Amino acid sequence: MIFRTLKQSGEWINRAKKISFTFEGEVFQAYEGDTISSALLAAGQKILGRSFKYHRPRSVLSLANHDVNVLVTDGVDTNIRADVVEVKDGMVLTAVNTSGGVKKDKNSYIDSISPLLPVGFYYKAFHTPRRFFPFWEKVIRKAAGLGVVNFNYPRILKRKTHSHCDVLVVGAGPAGLAAAYTAAEAGLEVILVDENRQLGGSLGYNRAGESSVVAQLDGLLAKVASLSNIKIISAAYAAGYYPDHLVPIVSDAGINKVRAKSVIVASGAFEQPPVFRYNDLPGVMLGSAAQRLIYRYAVKPFNNGVVVTANDYGYRVALDLLQAGVKVAALVDMRTQGSIVNEAELSKRGVKVYTGYCVYEALATSDKSGVRGAVICPYDEKQSQALTDNKFTLDCDGIAMSAGWAPAGALLYQAGTGMQYDYNVEQFVPSRLPNGMFAAGKVNGVFELEQRLRDGIRAANDAVRHLGLDAPQNNAEKHVGAIPSHPYPMVPHPKAKNFVDFDEDIQIKDFENAAKEGFDNIELMKRFTTVGMGPSQGKHSNMNAIRILARIRGLPVEKIGSTTSRPFFHPTPIGHLGGRGFHPHRLTSLHDWHQENGAVFTDVGAWKRAAYYLTADQSKTDAIQAEALAVRKTAGIIDSSSFGKIEIHGPDAALFLERFFTGVYTDQKVGGCRYVMLLDEAGVVIDDGIASRLADDLFYISVGTSNAAAVYREMQRSQQMWQLNLGLVNVTGAFGAINIAGPFAREILATLTSLDLSPEIFPVNSVRESQVAGVETRIIRVAFVADNGYELHAPMGQLPHIWRALVEAGKPHGLRPFGTDAQRLLRLEMGHAMPGVDTDGLTNPFEIGADWAIKMYKPYFIGQRSLQILAKRPLRKQLVPFVLAENYKGELPLDCNLVVNGRDILGRVTSISYSKFFNRYIGFAYVPPDKKAAGSVFEIRADSGALVVATVVPSPFIKSLKEA
Amino acid sequence: MKLLTCPMNGTRPLSEFVFGGEYRQAPDQLTCTDAEWAAYVHNRSGAPGDKKEWWYHSPSGTWFIAERNTLTDKVTRTYLFGQGNTTQEQGK
Amino acid sequence: MQQFDVRKIIQTSPVAHAQPKALAKWEVINGMEIAVEFASAEIERARKQVLGVADVSCLVRYGVKGPNAMQWLVERGVAIPTSPNAWTMSEQKTLVLRLGGSEFLIEDQLGGFVCNKLASETTRVAGVYQVPRADAAFVVSGSETLNLFSELCSLDLREKSLADNQLIMTQIAGISATVIHQTLHGESIYRIWCDGTYGAYMWEILMEIAVELGGGAVGLSHYQS
Amino acid sequence: MPLRLLKYALSKEHPAPRFFKAHESLKKSYDVVIIGGGGHGLAAAYYLAKDHGITNVCVLEKGYIGGGNTGRNTTIVRSNYLTPEGVNFYDASVKIYEGLSEELDLNLFYSTRGHFTLAHTESAMRTMRWRAEVNKHVGVESRVVGPDEIAKACPQLDLSCSGQAPILGALYHAPGSVARHDGVAWGYARGADRLGAEIHQNTEVLSIDVKNGKVCGVNTNKGYIETKQVLSAVAGFTPRITEMVDLQTPIVIHPLQACVTEPMKPWLDTILVSGSLHVYVSQSSRGELVMGSSLDPYEVHSTRSTLDFVEGLTAHMLDMFPFLSNVKVVRQWAGMADMTPDFAPIMGKTPIEGFYLDAGWGTWGFKATPISGKTMAQTIANDSAPDLIHSFRLSRFEDYELTGEKGAASVGH
C-alpha cells in the first residue's frame, strides 16, 4: 500500500483490520473500509478499467459514482461500482468489458481505429447491402454491453418498506445537516438521507489542508445525533422523486419508500471535468476525487501532480494534496484573472501557479497506463483556444482537475422545479420550486461553507412554515466571491481525444460533427451522440455538453436548456425495485378437501379452483370425461363458491335489476329465478347470471367468478346515481356454493333436507330457503350443467359440512366431484354460451342468440339505446352450436380455429370438445347469419390447415343429440 | 405513488382506487338521435383540462367524484356523487 | 332424511389451511376449531414481545348496514361510535366497528353475547340490512409491529398518527382489510380483518415477515382470556 | 470495417451534410401542412414527395423531430394482430421496414429477432391460437409453440415464472423485429428534406382555420400559413389538435411507461412479451434491456414516471428471469398513448374537408410508421383513403363497426 498516507483525521478506513483480495489475478492488501478503487490505488495499481467504446485504459475519475470508469465483476455480480463499493476480504475481482484482462485488453485496438468510428457511425454503415447486415449486427452485439450477466445469480427479493415524515432532507452535507437540525428543533419529524456511509458531504474532505473543519463537522454531527426526531439513513440514495413527495430511498437492505410532507434537496453538486486531450488517462482525476481519496481512505492520488483548475476550488485541492504529502508540480489556472488570495498561499508553499494557462494535453506513459507529464500553454479564455506556440511539458504522474459544478438536481427536476441559469455562479439553479419542495446548498447555487449552513437553516425554516408552524423568514443566500464554475473549460485539440462523456467516449468534435449533421438541439444531440445516456446519466457530462452546444450555436447557455431528468439517480437493482411482491389468492372453505382428493387447481382471478381431480389410474382427459359422465349418468358435485354473490335488499330491488340487467324482474315471483345479462353502454355482453327472488324486497344475484368484483362495483355506482330505496350487500366471500347435478342429484339431496324436491313443487328456475344437513341454505334449481341440478348457497364456514354430507350420501349413487374443466364441457352440452369464452370484447346479445333475454320494451336498461341502433343493422355473425361428423377421426379442431371459405374468414370456433356422453365432437362457432340454420354446413380449418366439416345443430345439444 | 383523497376514508395512495372514467351526462335516450347516442357512447372529451371523474375506493367500496386536471394531474376536490353542490353532476 | 344438529357443526378457521395442523394446539371456540397455542407459553410470550400474530377468526361477529342500521342498533342498546370510520369497545366485551358511515361490524370478544342476541332479533326492517360475515381476523402486537406494517401497508399506522379509535379500511399485503389500533389489557395491539377467503394468504404473508423480524405465531389464548 | 466509414477517417472536415435544412421562416402557403414531426408525419411527407410528387409540404414540429412517442417507444415491429385488416396493414409495414435502411441509406438496425407472446393461462393460449390462425390465413408467419420451443429460443427464461405463472406456450412470430426508433424519424426527415419538403422544428400550431367545413389555413407561433390540406399526426397530442377543428373522437390519452437497464453483454436474442405479467422486453444493440408494461390506468396528459410502474414491471421481470436481481435499471420514461376503444388506429378523412387524421396509435404506432406514412400520403394525394385503412376510418364508431382487435384483451405491443 505504497500510496497510503499517514493517518488522516476522520478517515473511513480501519487500520486495525487488514484484508486481502484479488484483482485481475493479483493479490492486493487493503484496510477494512476501503473501496475497491481506493485499495487498488493505494497499492499503486494504475489501470482499473476499460472504457465502453474505445477500450481506453481508465482509473478513478470522480470516486463518487458519477462515472463508470471502474466497473468490476466478482463472477457472481457484475457492473459493480468499484469506486464506492467497499472491498471485502477474499473478493476475487476482474474488470468488466475486457478481452484478455484490463492491462492488455485486446479490444484496445478500437481506440486506434476510432477515426473510422465518427459520431453516429452505426447509422452510417453496415446496412448495405442488406444481406451483410446480420453479420455486422453480430459483430456489433458482441462488442456491446459492459459486464456479463451471471445466469445463476440468485433471485433476491429485497424488503420494500414505507416511511412517513414531515421533512425529508436529501443530502447530509453542511446544508443538509443544518436543515435537518433546524427542522427537528422546530418539532418536526425529519428523515435525513445520504448516499455515503458517513455524513458530512464535502465538509469531510474539502479542507484546503486545514484540519479545523473536522471539529466543525463533528459539532454538526453531534447536534444532529442529539435530536431524537431525526432519523438518519446513510449509505442510501434518494433514487427519484414521484408525485406527492414520494421518494424511494435505496440501500443494500432494500427500498424505503418515504412519503414526506416536504422535501429539502441538499444534494450538492457534481464536479465537472475540464476537457483537454487525454483527460481520461489513469491518474487524471477530479479534484474532489483526489480529496476523497486523501481524507476518506488516506490514499495519495499520485506522487507528483499538476492541478488544473478553472475556479478557486483547485487551489483548495492543491493544499489538500500538499497536506497529504503529494508534491504539486504546478497549479494551472485557466482563468486570465487567476485567484489572487489563493495564489499567494500556494506560492508560499512553493507551488508554481500558471495563471491564464491550460493543460493542452496529458502525456501518457509508454505503456499508456498512466501520466508522465502535462503539456501546458497559455490559454485564450475568451476564444477558448490553447496558444500552443509557447507550450511546454511539466513532468508529473497525475493531474487533479477542477473546473466547476453541475447541480445534483435530479430530484428537483423530477418534481417539476423550474431551473434558471445563474451567471453569478455559472450554474443552473432552482427558480420556481413546486409546493413543499426546497433546495439548499450547492444545488441551490450556494457554495461558501458559512452560506451553505445558513442556506440549510433558511430552507428548513421555509419548510417549517410550509407545514403551518412559525419560523423565521430568512433571506436567500447570494453567492459572493469567485465564480465556482467556469463557463467554458474546454481545450480544443486537433487530435481530439478530449473527453466530455467518459461513459460513452464522447469528445468535443463529436458534438461539433453532430451539429453539422443537424443535431443541434440538446435532445437531438443527446440522442445522436448518446451523451448522458450511459449508466452515469450525464452526471459528469451533461453540463459540458450544454456548454459546447451553446458555443456551437452561438447562444447563451440558458437558451439551450437542459435535457429531462428521469429516475433513477443511480441505477437501481431490479431485485430492489421488484422486491417481495404480493401474490394474493383466495381459497374456498373446501380447499383442503379438494387438495386431499387429488384436485389440480387452476387460477380464476385470485381464486384457486379445482380444474379436475386426478385419480391414480386416470389421465387428465379421462378424468375430465369421467367427471362429466358422472353428471350425466349418476351425479356430480362442484364447488362454485367463487361465484359473485350479491344481495339486493329493499323496496326498489326489482326496479334496480330492471335498469341494471336486460330482463324483467318486477313481476318475478318470490321463489322464482331469472336469467340476468349485463351489457355495457355500447351494448356489449359483459356477464350473465341468475337473480333469485327470496322476498318481495330481496333478490339474491349470482354472477360469474371473473367479473364478480366489477359487477358489484358497477351496481354500487349505478345505485349512487339512481339513489333507489335499496341496499347492496356483497356476500361473495361470506357465502359458499355447491352445485350438485345429475340424475341422482335429487335423491342424494333429499336425504339431507326436508324440502319437497319434487319437480312439480320445486321446478327449474326456482329458489327455496331450507336446511340442508342442518344448515340454512338457499337452494337454487338451475339447469346449467344438467337439467337436474341444485345450487346450494350457504355460509362459507358451514359449506364443508354440507359438502361432506352430500359426498357421503352420494356414495351409493356414484356421486363424483367435478372441476371447472368438466363444467365447461357440461355447460356446452347444455348449450350455454359463456361470456368471455364464447363472447369477446365486442359481442352483442343478438350475436349469441340471446334476443329472448333482452326486454327492449322496458323504459331503460344499460346498453338498451345501443341495442336499438344495433337492431337496425344487419347481423354480422351468429354463434351456433355445431357437431363434427359421427365417428370423426381426423385432426381435432381447437378453440379459436377459424371458420373459413377459401380466402374468406367467416368466423371462428369459440368452444369445442369431445363429449363422451354423445360420443361426438360438439362446439360453438361464429358463422355468418346465412349459415345459422340447423343443418347448415361449414368448414373449420384445423391447426395443420386441414379443413374439417361441421354441421349446425339445434340448441341445446342435450336435446338435439342422442346419448351414445 | 400519487395520493387521492376519498371523501369518506381520507387520503390514500392511488393503488387503493379504481378509475371509473369521466363523469358524463348521457343524452336523453328517448329523444336523442342514433348519431348522438353513438357519439356519447364512443367519443370522449380527450383534450386536457379540468374533468369530473369517477373514482372508487376499493377497500371501503366508496364511489366518489374527483375534480382533476388531466394535464397537471392535480386533484382540486373530491366529494360523494350528488354532494358537489353543482347542477351538472346530478344523476338521471 | 338424516338429522343434523347445527350447533354441533364444527367449522375450521378460514386461516387454518395455512397453519400446519401438527404445529399447534387446537380448541373449538364458538363452534370453530382454532389454534390456541403454537409453542410453549414462554416462547409465545417472547414472540409477542417482538412480533406476535394470532388468529382470532373464531370470535362471533354480526354485520349490518343501511340508512336505519345505526338506529336499529341503538334501540338494542349497542354503543355506537359517534363518527364514521371509528370503533368503540363496550365493557371490554364487544367491539363495535363503524365501517364508513352506515355499516357496522360487531365482534364479541370471548364472553360477549351481543352478536347472538342481535342475530336472534334480526327481522327484515326497512333500511336495515344484515351483512353476513365470514372474516379472517388477526391480532398483531410487539415491538416490530410497525416494521411489519411498513412492509404490508403504505399508510402511516403509527399510534400517534391515528385519531382516537380510528378505523382504517385500506390494503394490507395487496388486499382490502380493516385495521384498528387498540390498547388491550394495557398492551398496544393492532387488529386486522379481511375477507375469510383471503385468510390463509394473509396468515402466510404475516408469518413470513413476522418470522423474518424475529416473531411468529401466537395462540389465541394470549389475547383472549 | 465497411469502406464507407473511411471517408470519415480521411477527411479533415466532417464529411456528412445536415440531415435536413434549417429553414429561417415559413412560406406563405403550402399544399399540405403536416402537424407533428414524429415518424408518422415525416414518413407522410416523404411519401407525399416520393410517391405522389407533392413537395410543397411542411412538417410542423412543436419540439424536436422524433421527440414524442417515436423516441419513447420500445421499438418493436411486428404484424401478429388479431384481425385480418390489422394483420394486413402491419404486414405491409413490416415489408417496408425490411428494406427501409437501404431505401433511406441510414442504418436503422432493423433486426429480426423473432417475437414470442407468452401465454400463462388457457384463455391466453386460446387468444394466441386465434391470432396465429388469422396470421397464417393472411400469410404472416405466426404459430403457437410449446414450452420446449420457447426454452430453445430463450434458455434463460424460467418457464415456471418462479412458480407464479407457469408458461403454457406462446405465439411465435418470426418477423418480430426491433429497430432504432430515432433513426426512423431522422431517416424519413432526411428523405423528405431531400425531396423538397420543409421541416420546421420549434413550430407550434396554435389554431386551424376552418371555413364552411373546409380547412384553409394554420396559425402557428411563427405565423399564418395558407393551406387546404392538413394532416394531424401528433399521437398523444391528438385531442388538442382535434379540439381546434371541433372534431369529436374517442381518443383518450394514457401514459405508457418504459425503462432500460444498464448495458450488459447481449444474451437475450428474442423479443418477449407476456400479457399476463404485463412485460415486454428485448435487448438492444447497446446491451441494454428495454422493458415496457401495460398502460397507466387513468388519463393523464403527461410523461411523468411512476414508481409503481417500475416496481410492478421489475417484479415480473424477476419472475421470468430470476438472475436479474442485481441488474440495474438506469432510467424510466413515459410517452402519451392515444387510445381508442377498439385498440385500432383512426386514419383517413374526417367530416372536415382537407383535415386528415392519423391517430389512435395507442401503444403500436412505431411499428406502423412506414405504412401509415404511405397510406396517409395516398389519402391526402387522392382525397380518398385506400382500402388498406378502410377499417380504421373515424366513422366506424358512429356505425358501431369497431374493429375486432379489442377481442384480444391481452397486451400486445
Side-chain angles (χ1 to χ4, degrees), chain A residues 77 137 155 242 895 903, chain D residues 111 126 137 319 326 332 400:
Chain A
D77 197 4
E137 192 193 7
R155 180 173 198 245
Y242 298 93
D895 291 1
R903 289 306 303 156
Chain D
S111 173
R126 285 165 52 92
H137 191 84
D319 288 345
N326 217 21
Q332 60 173 136
Y400 277 75

Side-chain angles (χ1 to χ4, degrees), chain A residues 170 196 230 360 405 423 480 592 792 832 888 937:
Chain A
V170 178
N196 292 293
I230 299 178
Y360 180 59
W405 309 88
Y423 287 93
V480 288
D592 287 351
L792 312 175
H832 295 301
Y888 176 74
V937 171

Side-chain angles (χ1 to χ4, degrees), chain D residues 9-145:
Chain D
L10 299 175
S11 323
K12 212 164 154 59
E13 282 294 307
H14 190 64
R18 282 187 74 93
F19 265 57
F20 54 94
K21 290 182 273 299
H23 298 279
E24 284 297 302
S25 58
L26 288 161
K27 290 197 287 191
K28 188 166 164 283
S29 80
Y30 293 90
D31 292 343
V32 180
V33 171
I34 296 172
I35 309 174
H40 284 225
L42 294 165
Y46 173 75
Y47 291 112
L48 273 173
K50 179 170 172 277
D51 293 355
H52 306 282
I54 300 172
T55 58
N56 185 21
V57 173
C58 70
V59 179
L60 307 181
E61 169 52 53
K62 183 161 92 163
Y64 57 98
I65 62 164
N69 292 353
T70 300
R72 294 166 190 274
N73 70 86
T74 48
T75 83
I76 296 169
V77 177
R78 63 180 175 87
S79 62
N80 57 351
Y81 281 73
L82 182 64
T83 59
E85 52 274 26
V87 180
N88 279 325
F89 177 75
Y90 287 98
D91 185 44
S93 206
V94 166
K95 296 227 162 78
I96 302 175
Y97 257 127
E98 285 167 350
L100 197 58
S101 291
E102 279 185 313
E103 179 175 346
L104 300 175
D105 192 19
L106 191 72
N107 192 346
L108 306 175
F109 256 71
Y110 188 79
S111 173
T112 302
R113 319 204 65 83
H115 181 283
F116 288 87
T117 311
L118 305 176
H120 307 258
T121 63
E122 288 295 342
S123 74
M125 281 300 282
R126 285 165 52 92
T127 310
M128 295 312 126
R129 184 171 309 104
W130 189 358
R131 282 164 63 180
E133 289 301 304
V134 173
N135 286 202
K136 277 195 276 185
H137 191 84
V138 176
V140 165
E141 197 185 337
S142 297
R143 60 197 160 86
V144 173
V145 297

Side-chain angles (χ1 to χ4, degrees), chain D residues 86-382:
Chain D
V87 180
N88 279 325
F89 177 75
Y90 287 98
D91 185 44
S93 206
V94 166
K95 296 227 162 78
I96 302 175
Y97 257 127
E98 285 167 350
L100 197 58
S101 291
E102 279 185 313
E103 179 175 346
L104 300 175
D105 192 19
L106 191 72
N107 192 346
L108 306 175
F109 256 71
Y110 188 79
S111 173
T112 302
R113 319 204 65 83
H115 181 283
F116 288 87
T117 311
L118 305 176
H120 307 258
T121 63
E122 288 295 342
S123 74
M125 281 300 282
R126 285 165 52 92
T127 310
M128 295 312 126
R129 184 171 309 104
W130 189 358
R131 282 164 63 180
E133 289 301 304
V134 173
N135 286 202
K136 277 195 276 185
H137 191 84
V138 176
V140 165
E141 197 185 337
S142 297
R143 60 197 160 86
V144 173
V145 297
D148 292 355
E149 202 165 331
I150 303 168
K152 226 163 111 189
C154 185
Q156 300 86 3
L157 179 65
D158 178 355
L159 289 169
S160 84
C161 285
S162 303
Q164 293 305 332
I167 292 164
L168 306 180
L171 175 68
Y172 173 62
H173 177 56
S177 303
V178 286
R180 286 234 174 86
H181 49 9
D182 294 331
V184 174
W186 302 342
Y188 276 122
R190 188 173 64 180
D193 176 86
R194 285 183 186 168
L195 293 171
E198 293 182 4
I199 296 162
H200 293 264
Q201 299 188 106
N202 300 314
T203 305
E204 184 177 359
V205 171
L206 304 173
S207 67
I208 298 169
D209 204 1
V210 178
K211 287 199 179 87
N212 302 323
K214 291 180 191 171
V215 167
C216 46
V218 173
N219 238 316
T220 77
N221 61 343
K222 303 212 170 139
Y224 184 82
I225 311 168
E226 286 172 19
T227 185
K228 289 197 166 76
Q229 290 186 299
V230 169
L231 169 64
S232 170
V234 296
F237 292 87
T238 299
R240 305 185 204 193
I241 298 296
T242 51
E243 197 180 36
M244 293 177 186
V245 295
D246 210 11
L247 182 67
Q248 291 278 304
T249 79
I251 291 171
V252 179
I253 306 304
H254 287 253
L256 180 69
Q257 303 191 51
C259 62
V260 69
T261 67
E262 59 189 18
M264 63 202 96
K265 291 291 172 197
W267 55 272
L268 179 64
D269 292 330
T270 56
I271 307 161
L272 290 179
V273 177
S274 163
S276 308
L277 297 182
H278 306 291
V279 169
Y280 48 97
V281 58
S282 66
Q283 190 170 17
S284 75
S285 51
R286 281 169 57 84
E288 302 154 326
L289 291 178
V290 184
M291 305 177 285
S293 181
S294 50
L295 282 174
D296 284 7
Y298 70 102
E299 177 189 1
V300 195
H301 297 256
S302 157
T303 53
R304 89 282 181 270
S305 297
T306 67
L307 185 60
D308 37 323
F309 153 76
V310 73
E311 289 184 275
L313 175 66
T314 49
H316 287 137
M317 277 297 290
L318 274 182
D319 288 345
M320 292 164 67
F321 301 107
F323 55 87
L324 291 179
S325 297
N326 217 21
V327 166
K328 295 167 187 75
V329 178
V330 174
R331 181 171 65 245
Q332 60 173 136
W333 68 91
M336 294 192 294
D338 41 340
M339 298 303 299
T340 62
D342 60 355
F343 306 149
I346 298 173
M347 300 179 75
K349 297 179 67 175
T350 68
I352 295 133
E353 202 178 315
F355 184 76
Y356 305 92
L357 203 53
D358 171 57
W361 289 106
T363 65
W364 44 84
F366 177 70
K367 50 188 72 60
T369 304
I371 193 64
S372 73
K374 209 170 175 70
T375 50
M376 287 314 298
Q378 209 176 339
T379 306
I380 293 165
N382 304 331

Side-chain angles (χ1 to χ4, degrees), chain A residues 301-346:
Chain A
F302 30 73
N303 283 319
N304 175 27
V306 165
V307 174
V308 57
T309 191
N311 57 16
D312 279 8
Y313 197 81
Y315 292 80
R316 300 180 66 87
V317 173
L319 292 167
D320 286 324
L321 287 168
L322 290 171
Q323 185 281 139
V326 176
K327 188 166 175 283
V328 178
L331 181 138
V332 179
D333 191 334
M334 293 169 74
R335 297 170 300 175
T336 316
Q337 295 296 320
S339 173
I340 298 148
V341 187
N342 294 298
E343 190 179 332
E345 173 68 21
L346 276 185

